[in-house]
Amino acid sequence: MLYSVKMRSAKGGAHELGGKHISGAERIVNQEEIERSVQAMIERAFQHERGCADFINLKIEQIVPQNIVYIRQLAISTLAADTMLSGRNAAVEKLINSGVTKAAALSGIEQLAGLSESMHGAMLLSSTTGQRLDAAAQRGIRVSNMDVADLPAYRMVLRNCGLLDMHVREAVVLASKVQSAAGVIAELCWSDDLTYTTGYVANKSGYYRIPHLKLLNSPNGGRAFFIKPDTNIEVLVSYLENTPVLIRPQEKVGC
Ligand code: PML
Ligand code: MG
Ligand code: MG
Ligand code: MG
């Protein structure tokens, strides 16, 4: 049997009581692995660079095996960019290649850069106008219930690329789930973690890392999913938030 294990932590009290979000993590694991993953999550909540959590919420739930969807991991590659400006230009270009209009791509950058507090979830933006299409406000859409089907194989893929950071490990899993959803055309993301400036654009054909999508020590970050304007938002959000998805690592992958 597989279990979903989730953690979210905050400082200054619980999220719902106004605490500042510190970190979140989730895994889908066998029963024997639950304890170890919970331990790793708690350590992470106490040692995060955003601060030391004083509120930790843990949830452990059994998953119905028939509900699990298996998908392929997006291939990873890295685009060249040595400043934030060139990084954002590369992002706009990649978004346009994915089928997003230039206006929507620029608007996506502007809306992410304009988030005053980091958003927990993602914004859904029209791929033609860039207009926000979800009603989740500052909460955003929280992609959840996903993990890799074979962790050792996935670690090997990342290790072969020299990508050992937890950010990449989790982002590729999330981005792979997002691109497996009907209606999604592309994603733009950079981290809210102060010292993590590499972000990415993902589309149906890959995960494109972009060094320098923000300035060092900026707390600003988040995610935007560009979707076809006629997408059924309710169906999409339910898939992204609730459907359990396991990602099969790609053996042949760039970096
Ligand atoms: C996050 O912190 O949630 C975003 C991480 C983006 C990782 C980008 C990469 O290095 O590939
Ligand atoms: Mg996180
Ligand atoms: Mg976050
Ligand atoms: Mg973060």
Side-chain angles (χ1 to χ4, degrees), residues 120-191:
H120 215 78
M123 303 185 270
L124 299 186
L125 304 182
S126 159
S127 62
T128 58
T129 64
Q131 200 192 333
R132 181 105 186 244
L133 296 179
D134 65 278
Q138 187 60 29
R139 175 188 183 274
I141 306 303
R142 294 195 198 145
V143 184
S144 186
N145 293 300
M146 71 246 161
D147 202 343
V148 284
D150 182 345
L151 187 55
Y154 183 51
R155 285 223 172 98
M156 190 73 84
V157 166
L158 295 178
R159 199 171 322 123
N160 288 340
C161 294
L163 299 172
L164 299 167
D165 194 282
M166 179 77 91
H167 291 88
V168 189
R169 198 197 107 164
E170 292 183 348
V172 172
V173 169
L174 184 147
S176 297
K177 179 174 185 183
V178 171
Q179 292 309 313
S180 74
V184 174
I185 290 184
E187 173 184 356
L188 169 67
C189 164
W190 65 81
S191 183

Side-chain angles (χ1 to χ4, degrees), residues 21 50 118-120 192-193 223:
H21 175 68
R50 285 171 63 81
S118 78
M119 217 162 92
H120 215 78
D192 56 357
D193 293 358
R223 288 188 153 88

Side-chain angles (χ1 to χ4, degrees), residues 32-195:
E32 318 76 79
E33 297 169 295
I34 293 176
E35 243 180 85
R36 204 155 42 116
S37 45
V38 164
Q39 196 180 353
M41 287 175 187
I42 293 173
E43 274 169 27
R44 174 168 161 161
F46 284 139
Q47 290 164 13
H48 204 274
E49 67 173 20
R50 285 171 63 81
C52 176
D54 55 26
F55 169 87
I56 300 177
N57 176 296
L58 278 164
K59 186 158 83 176
I60 302 169
E61 262 175 315
Q62 203 173 66
I63 297 177
V64 181
Q66 299 89 288
N67 293 348
I68 299 176
V69 175
Y70 285 84
I71 62 161
R72 250 164 68 96
Q73 179 215 316
L74 291 173
I76 304 167
S77 52
T78 304
L79 305 179
D82 47 17
T83 61
M84 182 181 81
L85 192 63
S86 63
R88 290 188 179 179
N89 285 339
V92 169
E93 197 178 316
K94 186 50 84 179
L95 287 169
I96 293 171
N97 290 344
S98 320
V100 175
T101 66
K102 185 172 183 184
L106 291 172
S107 162
I109 299 247
E110 203 172 297
Q111 289 181 69
L112 271 192
L115 292 175
S116 50
E117 267 172 85
S118 78
M119 217 162 92
H120 215 78
M123 303 185 270
L124 299 186
L125 304 182
S126 159
S127 62
T128 58
T129 64
Q131 200 192 333
R132 181 105 186 244
L133 296 179
D134 65 278
Q138 187 60 29
R139 175 188 183 274
I141 306 303
R142 294 195 198 145
V143 184
S144 186
N145 293 300
M146 71 246 161
D147 202 343
V148 284
D150 182 345
L151 187 55
Y154 183 51
R155 285 223 172 98
M156 190 73 84
V157 166
L158 295 178
R159 199 171 322 123
N160 288 340
C161 294
L163 299 172
L164 299 167
D165 194 282
M166 179 77 91
H167 291 88
V168 189
R169 198 197 107 164
E170 292 183 348
V172 172
V173 169
L174 184 147
S176 297
K177 179 174 185 183
V178 171
Q179 292 309 313
S180 74
V184 174
I185 290 184
E187 173 184 356
L188 169 67
C189 164
W190 65 81
S191 183
D192 56 357
D193 293 358
L194 291 177
T195 57

